Amino acid sequence: LILCVGGTVIMRKFQSSVAVGFFMGSVVAASQMFLLVFLILFGYIEDRLENDMPVDGERLNGFVCLVQAVLLGSFAAILAAHR
């Protein structure tokens, strides 16, 4: 939510190169965080499978994190290309 509001304020009001660079860095950091959470969840799934526990929720969360990482990374690349 903070990324959305901050991005809107930066892109509408404060369009200096420092502000846009800070926003792009924040988007890339968020993308990497979601990718890391995806990797951690799939490691956790392996442990749960070894213990014969259900993994449906973890698979869904992992997939959502992967999609979010790809979307944020794509947005950062488009923003970098058009800025």
Side-chain angles (χ1 to χ4, degrees):
L1 185 62
I2 293 172
L3 191 62
C4 295
V5 172
T8 301
V9 169
I10 287 173
M11 296 310 288
R12 289 186 185 220
K13 196 171 187 182
F14 304 108
Q15 291 188 352
S16 68
S17 61
V18 172
V20 173
F22 181 78
F23 175 59
M24 283 177 41
S26 299
V27 171
V28 170
S31 174
Q32 290 177 350
M33 180 201 64
F34 278 109
L35 183 63
L36 183 63
V37 170
F38 162 75
L39 295 173
I40 290 170
L41 278 171
F42 271 81
Y44 183 63
I45 285 173
E46 293 296 323
D47 289 341
R48 288 184 64 97
L49 285 174
E50 288 177 6
N51 295 327
D52 296 325
M53 299 175 78
V55 294
D56 295 332
E58 286 80 11
R59 283 187 179 148
L60 178 64
N61 285 337
F63 178 72
V64 168
C65 285
L66 179 63
V67 169
Q68 186 71 23
V70 169
L71 289 175
L72 283 170
S74 301
F75 176 66
I78 290 169
L79 185 62
H82 292 287
R83 184 65 188 137

Short mmCIF file of all heavy atoms in Angstrom, two decimals, residues 12-35:
data_model
loop_
_atom_site.label_atom_id
_atom_site.label_comp_id
_atom_site.label_asym_id
_atom_site.label_seq_id
_atom_site.Cartn_x
_atom_site.Cartn_y
_atom_site.Cartn_z
N ARG A 12 3.37 11.90 -9.83
CA ARG A 12 2.52 13.06 -10.13
C ARG A 12 3.11 14.38 -9.66
O ARG A 12 2.96 15.39 -10.33
CB ARG A 12 1.14 12.87 -9.49
CG ARG A 12 0.34 11.82 -10.18
CD ARG A 12 -1.04 11.75 -9.62
NE ARG A 12 -1.74 10.64 -10.25
CZ ARG A 12 -2.99 10.69 -10.62
NH1 ARG A 12 -3.69 11.77 -10.42
NH2 ARG A 12 -3.55 9.64 -11.17
N LYS A 13 3.77 14.37 -8.51
CA LYS A 13 4.17 15.63 -7.91
C LYS A 13 5.69 15.84 -7.90
O LYS A 13 6.17 16.91 -8.24
CB LYS A 13 3.64 15.69 -6.48
CG LYS A 13 3.66 17.06 -5.87
CD LYS A 13 2.92 17.06 -4.55
CE LYS A 13 2.80 18.47 -4.03
NZ LYS A 13 2.13 18.51 -2.73
N PHE A 14 6.45 14.84 -7.50
CA PHE A 14 7.89 14.97 -7.35
C PHE A 14 8.58 14.13 -8.42
O PHE A 14 9.02 13.02 -8.15
CB PHE A 14 8.33 14.49 -5.96
CG PHE A 14 7.65 15.19 -4.84
CD1 PHE A 14 6.70 14.53 -4.07
CD2 PHE A 14 7.93 16.51 -4.54
CE1 PHE A 14 6.06 15.17 -3.03
CE2 PHE A 14 7.30 17.15 -3.50
CZ PHE A 14 6.35 16.49 -2.74
N GLN A 15 8.74 14.67 -9.61
CA GLN A 15 9.31 13.89 -10.70
C GLN A 15 10.80 14.16 -10.90
O GLN A 15 11.30 14.11 -12.01
CB GLN A 15 8.55 14.16 -11.99
CG GLN A 15 7.16 13.60 -11.99
CD GLN A 15 6.49 13.71 -13.33
OE1 GLN A 15 7.01 14.34 -14.24
NE2 GLN A 15 5.33 13.12 -13.46
N SER A 16 11.51 14.42 -9.82
CA SER A 16 12.96 14.59 -9.94
C SER A 16 13.62 13.22 -10.14
O SER A 16 13.03 12.18 -9.84
CB SER A 16 13.52 15.26 -8.69
OG SER A 16 13.43 14.40 -7.59
N SER A 17 14.82 13.24 -10.65
CA SER A 17 15.50 11.97 -10.94
C SER A 17 15.80 11.20 -9.65
O SER A 17 15.79 9.96 -9.66
CB SER A 17 16.77 12.23 -11.73
OG SER A 17 17.66 13.03 -10.99
N VAL A 18 16.07 11.91 -8.57
CA VAL A 18 16.34 11.23 -7.29
C VAL A 18 15.09 10.53 -6.78
O VAL A 18 15.14 9.37 -6.35
CB VAL A 18 16.87 12.24 -6.25
CG1 VAL A 18 16.98 11.60 -4.89
CG2 VAL A 18 18.19 12.81 -6.68
N ALA A 19 13.94 11.20 -6.84
CA ALA A 19 12.69 10.62 -6.36
C ALA A 19 12.29 9.41 -7.20
O ALA A 19 11.88 8.37 -6.67
CB ALA A 19 11.59 11.66 -6.35
N VAL A 20 12.41 9.53 -8.51
CA VAL A 20 12.05 8.41 -9.40
C VAL A 20 13.03 7.26 -9.20
O VAL A 20 12.62 6.08 -9.18
CB VAL A 20 11.99 8.87 -10.86
CG1 VAL A 20 11.78 7.69 -11.79
CG2 VAL A 20 10.88 9.89 -11.06
N GLY A 21 14.30 7.55 -9.02
CA GLY A 21 15.28 6.50 -8.75
C GLY A 21 15.02 5.79 -7.44
O GLY A 21 15.15 4.56 -7.35
N PHE A 22 14.62 6.55 -6.41
CA PHE A 22 14.26 5.93 -5.13
C PHE A 22 13.05 5.03 -5.29
O PHE A 22 13.00 3.92 -4.75
CB PHE A 22 13.99 7.02 -4.09
CG PHE A 22 13.63 6.48 -2.74
CD1 PHE A 22 14.61 5.99 -1.90
CD2 PHE A 22 12.32 6.45 -2.33
CE1 PHE A 22 14.29 5.48 -0.66
CE2 PHE A 22 11.97 5.93 -1.09
CZ PHE A 22 12.97 5.46 -0.25
N PHE A 23 12.06 5.48 -6.06
CA PHE A 23 10.86 4.68 -6.30
C PHE A 23 11.22 3.41 -7.07
O PHE A 23 10.75 2.32 -6.73
CB PHE A 23 9.83 5.52 -7.06
CG PHE A 23 8.60 4.75 -7.45
CD1 PHE A 23 7.81 4.14 -6.50
CD2 PHE A 23 8.24 4.64 -8.78
CE1 PHE A 23 6.69 3.42 -6.86
CE2 PHE A 23 7.12 3.93 -9.15
CZ PHE A 23 6.33 3.32 -8.19
N MET A 24 12.05 3.53 -8.10
CA MET A 24 12.45 2.35 -8.87
C MET A 24 13.22 1.36 -8.00
O MET A 24 13.02 0.15 -8.09
CB MET A 24 13.30 2.75 -10.07
CG MET A 24 12.51 3.32 -11.20
SD MET A 24 13.51 3.89 -12.59
CE MET A 24 14.72 2.65 -12.76
N GLY A 25 14.08 1.86 -7.15
CA GLY A 25 14.80 0.99 -6.23
C GLY A 25 13.87 0.28 -5.26
O GLY A 25 14.07 -0.90 -4.95
N SER A 26 12.86 0.99 -4.80
CA SER A 26 11.87 0.38 -3.90
C SER A 26 11.09 -0.72 -4.60
O SER A 26 10.82 -1.77 -4.02
CB SER A 26 10.90 1.44 -3.38
OG SER A 26 11.58 2.42 -2.66
N VAL A 27 10.74 -0.50 -5.86
CA VAL A 27 10.00 -1.51 -6.63
C VAL A 27 10.87 -2.74 -6.85
O VAL A 27 10.41 -3.88 -6.70
CB VAL A 27 9.49 -0.91 -7.96
CG1 VAL A 27 8.93 -1.99 -8.86
CG2 VAL A 27 8.45 0.15 -7.71
N VAL A 28 12.13 -2.54 -7.20
CA VAL A 28 13.03 -3.68 -7.41
C VAL A 28 13.25 -4.43 -6.11
O VAL A 28 13.26 -5.67 -6.09
CB VAL A 28 14.37 -3.20 -8.01
CG1 VAL A 28 15.40 -4.31 -8.01
CG2 VAL A 28 14.15 -2.68 -9.42
N ALA A 29 13.40 -3.72 -4.99
CA ALA A 29 13.58 -4.37 -3.69
C ALA A 29 12.35 -5.19 -3.32
O ALA A 29 12.46 -6.31 -2.81
CB ALA A 29 13.88 -3.33 -2.62
N ALA A 30 11.16 -4.65 -3.57
CA ALA A 30 9.93 -5.39 -3.29
C ALA A 30 9.84 -6.64 -4.17
O ALA A 30 9.42 -7.71 -3.71
CB ALA A 30 8.72 -4.50 -3.49
N SER A 31 10.24 -6.51 -5.43
CA SER A 31 10.23 -7.66 -6.33
C SER A 31 11.17 -8.75 -5.84
O SER A 31 10.82 -9.94 -5.83
CB SER A 31 10.63 -7.21 -7.74
OG SER A 31 10.76 -8.31 -8.59
N GLN A 32 12.36 -8.37 -5.41
CA GLN A 32 13.31 -9.35 -4.90
C GLN A 32 12.83 -9.98 -3.60
O GLN A 32 13.06 -11.17 -3.35
CB GLN A 32 14.67 -8.70 -4.70
CG GLN A 32 15.34 -8.36 -5.99
CD GLN A 32 16.67 -7.65 -5.79
OE1 GLN A 32 17.01 -7.26 -4.69
NE2 GLN A 32 17.41 -7.49 -6.87
N MET A 33 12.14 -9.21 -2.77
CA MET A 33 11.60 -9.76 -1.53
C MET A 33 10.56 -10.83 -1.82
O MET A 33 10.57 -11.91 -1.22
CB MET A 33 10.98 -8.65 -0.68
CG MET A 33 10.41 -9.18 0.63
SD MET A 33 9.18 -8.12 1.40
CE MET A 33 7.87 -8.15 0.22
N PHE A 34 9.65 -10.56 -2.78
CA PHE A 34 8.65 -11.56 -3.12
C PHE A 34 9.28 -12.80 -3.74
O PHE A 34 8.81 -13.91 -3.51
CB PHE A 34 7.59 -10.97 -4.05
CG PHE A 34 6.53 -10.18 -3.32
CD1 PHE A 34 6.47 -8.82 -3.43
CD2 PHE A 34 5.60 -10.83 -2.54
CE1 PHE A 34 5.51 -8.10 -2.77
CE2 PHE A 34 4.63 -10.12 -1.85
CZ PHE A 34 4.58 -8.75 -1.97
N LEU A 35 10.34 -12.62 -4.53
CA LEU A 35 11.04 -13.77 -5.10
C LEU A 35 11.68 -14.61 -3.98
O LEU A 35 11.62 -15.85 -4.01
CB LEU A 35 12.09 -13.31 -6.09
CG LEU A 35 12.84 -14.43 -6.81
CD1 LEU A 35 11.88 -15.26 -7.67
CD2 LEU A 35 13.94 -13.86 -7.67
#
